Amino acid sequence: MLETKNLNSPKIVYLKDYKIPDYQITTIDLHFHLKAEHTTIRSQLAISRYLGAKPSPLVLDSEELELLSIKLNGQILTEKDYQQDTKSLTLHSVPDQFTLVIETRIYPQHNTALSGLYISSNNFCTQCEAEGFRRITYFLDRPDIMARYTTTIVANKASYPVLLSNGNLIAHGDHAHGDHFAKWEDPFPKPSYLFALVAGTLSKIEDEFITSSGRKVTLSIYVQPHNIDKCEHAMASLKRAMAWDEQVYGREYDLDNYMIVAVDDFNMGAMENKGLNIFNSKYILAKPETATDTDYQYIEGVIGHEYFHNWSGNRVTCRDWFQLSLKEGFTVFRDQQFSASRGSPTVKRIQDVNHLRTYQFKEDSGPMAHPIRPESYAEINNFYTTTVYEKGAEVVRMLYQLLGPKGFRKGTDLYFNRHDGQAVTTDEFVRSLEDANNADFSQFRLWYRQAGTPELHASGVYDPKKNTYTLTVKQTCQATPSQSHKDPFHIPLALGLLDSKGNDLPLRLAGESTPIAGTRVMELRQAEEVFIFKDIPHKPIPSLLRNFSAPVKLHLNLSDEERCFLLAHDSNNFNRWEAGHQLAVKILLNLIRDYQQGKPFQLNLTFIAAIGKILTGNEPDKAFVTHALTLPSEHYLSEFMAIIDPEAIYQAHRFLRQNLAENLKDSFSAMYESLRQTDPYRFTPKDIGRRALRNTCLGYLMELNDPDIYHQCFQQFIQADNMTDTIAALSTLVHTESPERDNALHIFYEKWHQDPLVMDKWLSIQAISRRPDTLKIVKQLTQRSVFKLTNPNKVRALIGAFCQHNPVNFHATNGEGYSFLGDYILKLDPLNPQIAARLVSVFNLWRRYDNKRQILMKEQLERIANVSKISKDVQEIVIKSLN
């Protein structure tokens, strides 16, 4: 066990200890007086004891509040009437029903944690999820306290002309001494984490949306004045999301206005506050010259995500924070559906699965492994994870597969209608799906309770005499922290069997009279399942886990030739990609072993020929071809190694890329030229795919270390009329020692140094360079004016990019990368514990590295642990990592 002089275990909150609160708050009337030097808040709370609750003290949450006064039913309370500490305010004796008026003072200009009310670019804004409202006023700051909010904001009119909060504007006007006010009323009860306030100098674009029932909704996007020309894509995305949610889920928007505000300093991507979404500027601002195709896609997806929360999160919310995936997993699934409808569903599925397997699978195998509904936590901010979000979405996707589109829609309709205006649990979500479809998901609920990634071991035997194919599937799941035993999961396994021409064979099980054509979904419930398919005329090639029908690891022994056959012929495009991807994994793992054993690398001509066919074929979906040509990431490859060897992974990866480039040079060059842009930039699936494939070809060609190609790449950098092509060229030049590299970085900086989001790209590109001097460059960049330690985007762009996305340099055996990260975790923790905690998670898998690296990483963890003051955000992760 860990023994350090300063690190005591933080207080643990357990799901099993949940109880209904003794008090409810039905209304809250807030009055803010915003000033540059401080802000005063008066809150008037209508409080009543829950029916049947025994008399007990009222304990209100608080953090960094300066108490000015308290009145209970109009009577001023003195210090003998209450008890106050740094985390709470306790009133020992209160009546069954009463009004409480509290005045507080806070200092937003000093709030570097960016939780509660803070200042970003001279504008006031809030972030209250998960527990930020207690930094604004004393409150029962928990999601099952749902109240109706009225908010009055007073501020200097010249300094803060725009005053926004949740709901509808019901009054506004001028006050004395240059002040003005705005009063907002939200007609829907909501938890405190959905409260929002924004005040400052902002410009807006405005549009409208007519709902299916004929109501007009005013849409407004507020940004800093100099960014007003970068909002059109966000507005168009919002209108598409609103129409899609009406069509697919029958959900109509419920207020007269919908507002979005973009801020530069934000811990998260965006926040779904009722009627007033606050976004990280990164997910709003876009025009072709400054934003890449990926930026455009992320903006559309995040806009959709936060809008969809209006029902899956706001109208129906979480009972407690253990239920976080109730809103996040469901809403991620909804935004994935929305994004898939906007382009290639196959490509969107590939992107989502790649992200899940690269990051969430790693989380499942580390010390922070947890179910999508955790049983305990010390700091809830640490559970905004890929497990809760992306794996949570996969669990909802499995329910969608098991019920079908119509059954799932019936279930969600019942869920929204049954629980509108309530704070509920994941069990109530699943129960609604069950009740609407007369289904039983008792075993399926294990996905909410059990951590870890299940593994499927599949094998098939063909009997030519009986014309049967017997598929045996065994499921296992490794032990995770606090869960040594795992019961079998309920797993939908989508599959097909292919004949010699690549056609799907009709599938009939014993006892069935009619075969089913195409993909079948088999339901695994036992530790071992056997399926016998009848009337199979010859030995088939199995295509399993189609569309990644469950978040599992599949082990299926196929030959290289069989995988190449699937890559060429599988009717399921996701599995076509998967066949090539897993073949590349196999080849790379063999190369890694060769490197570790000192053997010379060997070419795999079968794989090169298969990639060549994909490259020169007539596949119309260029985005799909791009993904088929993209090798598994170094991070993903590490998942297959008991002891992670970053140097061996890097060398194997580089060798295969270079040999693909050398052997397919003419094909890459021809494809690059054929996809040259002639028309102005357009954000369409076809154009996105064309740019992606062209830039992938350029990336391979740049592996050849050819001065002529360096020049060609630099010309693309100079001549590009859009950020996608500019960044693609710069991203490949940055790895080289060529003079074009430094020239391009200088030109880019001179052109864009006034644009913070574009400068984030400039920082990240240099941070992930594979050059051996990268850490030295990163350290120098931390001293540049474009880097700001108090801005989360800057930290993620530079420090996060180097430590999380440059494994060969970060894991250098001299340990300098580890000490660099340790230094910045200690610098960040007093300023912004949430961002510091994200960074310390990079050390989570330290035990899976070689002895030398283990020692070096452990030294940094113990160094952090022994600091006299450490946030519970960082503390929880350090304790779990070390223990």
Side-chain angles (χ1 to χ4, degrees):
M1 293 293 290
L2 168 66
E3 291 184 9
T4 61
K5 60 186 178 183
N6 290 314
L7 194 58
N8 298 315
S9 295
K11 180 183 178 182
I12 306 298
V13 182
Y14 293 95
L15 172 60
K16 62 183 176 61
D17 293 336
Y18 171 84
K19 70 183 189 72
I20 295 172
D22 291 334
Y23 296 91
Q24 61 182 337
I25 301 173
T26 53
T27 64
I28 174 170
D29 192 333
L30 290 163
H31 185 283
F32 289 82
H33 194 173
L34 307 175
K35 295 181 179 179
E37 62 273 17
H38 61 73
T39 291
T40 55
I41 301 112
R42 185 181 71 247
S43 65
Q44 180 172 306
L45 312 175
I47 304 177
S48 59
R49 201 186 313 274
Y50 265 98
L51 187 64
K54 296 179 180 179
S56 62
L58 172 67
V59 182
L60 301 175
D61 300 303
S62 70
E63 190 173 340
E64 297 190 8
L65 299 179
E66 183 180 330
L67 179 61
L68 300 180
S69 68
I70 313 176
K71 291 182 182 178
L72 193 156
N73 287 339
Q75 297 296 312
I76 296 177
L77 301 186
T78 63
E79 291 187 3
K80 66 181 179 60
D81 301 311
Y82 60 85
Q83 180 181 341
Q84 184 185 10
D85 59 31
T86 59
K87 298 295 182 183
S88 64
L89 174 69
T90 301
L91 281 66
H92 294 288
S93 180
V94 295
D96 289 344
Q97 287 187 321
F98 58 98
T99 299
L100 194 64
V101 178
I102 306 175
E103 282 197 63
T104 57
R105 181 183 291 134
I106 59 176
Y107 300 87
Q109 72 274 24
H110 301 314
N111 183 359
T112 60
L114 311 184
S115 174
L117 180 67
Y118 64 95
I119 292 178
S120 173
S121 301
N122 298 317
N123 296 318
F124 285 93
C125 60
T126 56
Q127 172 56 34
C128 293
E129 187 176 356
E131 296 177 337
F133 193 71
R134 66 189 62 189
R135 297 170 67 95
I136 294 173
T137 188
Y138 294 92
F139 201 71
L140 292 173
D141 191 13
R142 45 189 286 175
D144 55 357
I145 299 295
M146 301 180 70
R148 286 185 169 83
Y149 284 65
T150 303
T151 305
T152 301
I153 310 167
V154 178
N156 180 268
K157 190 172 185 177
S159 300
Y160 309 105
V162 175
L163 306 176
L164 307 175
S165 192
N166 310 88
N168 299 313
L169 181 65
I170 60 173
H172 63 93
D174 293 334
H175 278 328
H177 310 297
D179 284 351
H180 69 139
F181 79 96
K183 187 173 185 178
W184 296 82
E185 182 180 65
D186 189 347
F188 296 96
K190 64 174 179 282
S192 55
Y193 80 85
L194 290 173
F195 172 77
L197 177 152
V198 172
T201 301
L202 298 164
S203 297
K204 71 173 177 178
I205 67 166
E206 200 166 87
D207 205 333
E208 66 179 37
F209 180 82
I210 307 300
T211 69
S212 55
S213 66
R215 290 176 48 253
K216 185 177 85 168
V217 181
T218 300
L219 311 177
S220 305
I221 297 179
Y222 291 85
V223 297
Q224 294 177 66
H226 61 273
N227 288 323
I228 197 66
D229 63 335
K230 301 175 185 175
C231 301
E232 289 184 6
H233 174 64
M235 181 64 80
S237 298
L238 174 59
K239 294 176 73 172
R240 286 191 289 264
M242 296 177 79
W244 183 88
D245 208 20
E246 288 187 347
Q247 179 185 355
V248 177
Y249 282 88
R251 298 297 107 192
E252 185 176 310
Y253 186 63
D254 48 13
L255 289 170
D256 296 333
N257 58 74
Y258 189 89
M259 300 173 288
I260 292 173
V261 180
V263 300
D264 288 343
D265 302 281
F266 206 68
N267 284 339
M268 302 182 183
M271 182 60 214
E272 70 267 20
N273 319 293
K274 181 71 178 181
L276 177 58
N277 291 181
I278 300 178
F279 271 64
N280 189 321
S281 297
K282 179 178 181 179
Y283 296 108
I284 290 293
L285 306 179
K287 61 180 181 179
E289 297 87 350
T290 62
T292 65
D293 289 337
T294 301
D295 294 328
Y296 271 77
Q297 290 172 321
Y298 276 143
I299 287 168
E300 187 167 60
V302 176
I303 288 273
H305 181 94
E306 305 309 332
Y307 175 75
F308 302 146
H309 264 314
N310 187 61
W311 278 93
S312 51
N314 296 3
R315 288 285 289 261
V316 184
T317 194
C318 302
R319 186 196 72 178
D320 53 72
W321 289 120
F322 297 100
Q323 318 299 328
L324 181 58
S325 197
L326 173 80
K327 72 182 185 78
E328 296 301 349
F330 185 20
T331 305
V332 169
F333 172 66
R334 276 153 52 73
D335 82 52
Q336 289 174 351
Q337 285 182 297
F338 169 61
S339 295
S341 75
R342 294 281 304 137
S344 165
T346 297
V347 168
K348 175 59 178 168
R349 190 68 184 130
I350 291 169
Q351 291 169 340
D352 292 337
V353 171
N354 256 336
H355 183 82
L356 183 87
R357 294 199 295 206
T358 301
Y359 299 104
Q360 195 281 320
F361 280 15
K362 185 170 291 188
E363 195 166 84
D364 263 352
S365 65
M368 288 294 290
H370 57 278
I372 66 171
R373 187 186 64 197
E375 297 296 323
S376 65
Y377 63 80
E379 172 50 62
I380 184 55
N381 288 324
N382 287 337
F383 284 85
Y384 283 75
T385 60
T386 55
T387 298
V388 166
Y389 279 67
E390 279 76 17
K391 186 175 180 178
E394 294 297 317
V395 170
V396 175
R397 185 181 294 273
M398 287 189 287
L399 290 165
Y400 179 88
Q401 288 184 94
L402 292 168
L403 294 173
K406 290 183 179 179
F408 187 77
R409 170 66 188 271
K410 281 173 59 181
T412 58
D413 282 351
L414 179 60
Y415 169 69
F416 289 129
N417 294 335
R418 177 184 283 178
H419 298 297
D420 190 9
Q422 297 178 11
V424 299
T425 67
T426 55
D427 279 332
E428 286 163 304
F429 173 73
V430 176
R431 190 174 300 118
S432 294
L433 299 181
E434 287 177 318
D435 292 349
N437 293 277
N438 194 27
D440 181 2
F441 290 132
S442 301
Q443 184 182 0
F444 188 88
R445 283 177 168 83
L446 288 172
W447 284 102
Y448 288 91
R449 300 197 299 268
Q450 292 187 159
T453 304
E455 300 192 33
L456 302 184
H457 299 261
S459 60
V461 176
Y462 178 66
D463 187 334
K465 294 180 180 179
K466 297 180 179 179
N467 285 349
T468 61
Y469 181 80
T470 301
L471 178 68
T472 302
V473 185
K474 300 177 182 179
Q475 64 163 295
T476 60
C477 188
Q478 290 187 343
T480 53
S482 78
Q483 287 186 342
S484 57
H485 172 74
K486 312 285 183 178
D487 290 319
F489 290 85
H490 181 182
I491 300 173
L493 176 64
L495 59 85
L497 299 178
L498 273 63
D499 66 17
S500 58
K501 295 182 180 180
N503 300 311
D504 281 332
L505 293 165
L507 300 182
R508 181 175 72 87
L509 293 172
E512 294 178 344
S513 57
T514 306
I516 297 175
T519 300
R520 285 199 64 158
V521 178
M522 315 308 298
E523 298 187 35
L524 310 180
R525 296 177 184 270
Q526 306 300 323
E528 180 175 332
E529 302 270 11
V530 178
F531 304 101
I532 302 175
F533 296 99
K534 303 286 189 178
D535 306 324
I536 305 298
H538 54 76
K539 184 179 179 181
I541 295 179
S543 171
L544 304 186
L545 203 65
R546 284 183 161 179
N547 281 341
F548 201 67
S549 58
V552 301
K553 295 178 181 178
L554 174 65
H555 302 276
L556 177 65
N557 189 20
L558 294 177
S559 68
D560 292 358
E561 290 73 20
E562 287 172 320
R563 292 198 188 276
C564 287
F565 181 86
L566 291 171
L567 175 60
H569 299 293
D570 201 326
S571 64
N572 184 268
N573 275 347
F574 176 87
N575 274 34
R576 281 184 64 204
W577 167 81
E578 176 75 334
H581 195 67
Q582 294 307 319
L583 177 57
V585 168
K586 177 182 175 183
I587 291 166
L588 284 162
L589 291 176
N590 288 335
L591 290 172
I592 289 167
R593 281 190 288 271
D594 289 344
Y595 180 84
Q596 291 173 324
Q597 295 169 11
K599 298 178 180 178
F601 286 140
Q602 298 291 323
L603 280 175
N604 187 300
L605 297 177
T606 302
F607 179 70
I608 290 174
I611 293 298
K613 287 182 180 179
I614 289 287
L615 179 60
T616 58
N618 295 317
E619 171 62 51
D621 188 344
K622 303 306 181 189
F624 174 81
V625 177
T626 298
H627 284 283
L629 296 177
T630 303
L631 297 181
S633 71
E634 293 175 50
H635 274 299
Y636 182 56
L637 290 169
S638 70
E639 277 296 289
F640 295 87
M641 303 183 70
I643 299 175
I644 301 171
D645 186 339
E647 179 66 23
I649 294 173
Y650 169 76
Q651 293 295 345
H653 206 271
R654 188 87 193 278
F655 171 81
L656 187 54
R657 278 186 60 83
Q658 287 177 332
N659 276 275
L660 284 168
E662 290 168 1
N663 285 272
L664 302 174
K665 177 183 177 181
D666 292 343
S667 297
F668 281 125
S669 295
M671 182 63 72
Y672 178 80
E673 289 302 326
S674 72
L675 297 172
R676 186 178 295 275
Q677 178 179 338
T678 56
D679 299 323
Y681 177 90
R682 292 178 301 181
F683 178 68
T684 67
K686 182 178 179 180
D687 286 286
I688 293 167
R690 180 192 59 75
R691 282 188 290 271
L693 180 53
R694 187 169 192 262
N695 289 322
T696 297
C697 292
L698 177 63
Y700 273 107
L701 291 169
M702 286 288 285
E703 295 288 348
L704 299 173
N705 299 322
D706 182 334
D708 290 339
I709 296 174
Y710 289 166
H711 178 72
Q712 185 180 29
C713 184
F714 184 72
Q715 289 305 304
Q716 174 174 311
F717 170 80
I718 292 294
Q719 296 168 6
D721 68 349
N722 64 84
M723 185 57 72
T724 303
D725 290 339
T726 300
I727 283 294
L730 187 58
S731 296
T732 54
L733 281 170
V734 80
H735 299 298
T736 72
E737 303 287 344
S738 68
E740 288 92 345
R741 173 193 184 273
D742 293 338
N743 195 10
L745 286 170
H746 176 73
I747 292 170
F748 193 91
Y749 176 83
E750 288 300 315
K751 184 175 182 179
W752 297 113
H753 67 274
Q754 297 294 337
D755 190 313
L757 293 180
V758 178
M759 279 293 95
D760 289 346
K761 303 179 194 303
W762 186 77
L763 293 171
S764 290
I765 284 171
Q766 295 176 81
I768 61 176
S769 169
R770 58 182 180 235
R771 285 168 47 131
D773 61 348
T774 296
L775 179 55
K776 178 183 176 182
I777 293 170
V778 168
K779 289 179 178 180
Q780 292 170 351
L781 290 171
T782 62
Q783 305 304 309
R784 298 287 293 267
S785 60
V786 294
F787 178 78
K788 187 180 178 184
L789 191 60
T790 54
N791 181 275
N793 284 354
K794 301 300 177 191
V795 174
R796 286 185 283 252
L798 184 60
I799 300 170
F802 174 75
C803 299
Q804 295 171 311
H805 305 298
N806 195 339
V808 69
N809 281 314
F810 173 67
H811 290 287
T813 53
N814 60 18
E816 288 185 6
Y818 304 151
S819 59
F820 169 76
L821 178 57
D823 290 344
Y824 273 92
I825 289 167
L826 294 177
K827 290 178 183 179
L828 272 166
D829 191 50
L831 299 172
N832 192 326
Q834 289 187 44
I835 302 302
R838 297 291 186 274
L839 289 179
V840 82
S841 297
V842 176
F843 288 132
N844 279 352
L845 298 183
W846 65 276
R847 294 179 188 274
R848 287 188 53 197
Y849 289 83
D850 59 88
N851 236 14
K852 184 174 182 179
R853 290 185 173 96
Q854 280 191 34
I855 292 169
L856 293 168
M857 280 190 270
K858 186 181 180 184
E859 285 176 356
Q860 294 303 317
L861 285 167
E862 291 177 337
R863 173 190 170 201
I864 296 165
N866 278 306
V867 170
S868 59
K869 289 186 178 180
I870 187 171
S871 70
K872 64 178 181 178
D873 305 63
V874 170
Q875 184 184 35
E876 178 178 26
I877 296 173
V878 169
I879 286 177
K880 289 184 175 180
S881 294
L882 286 171
N883 286 345

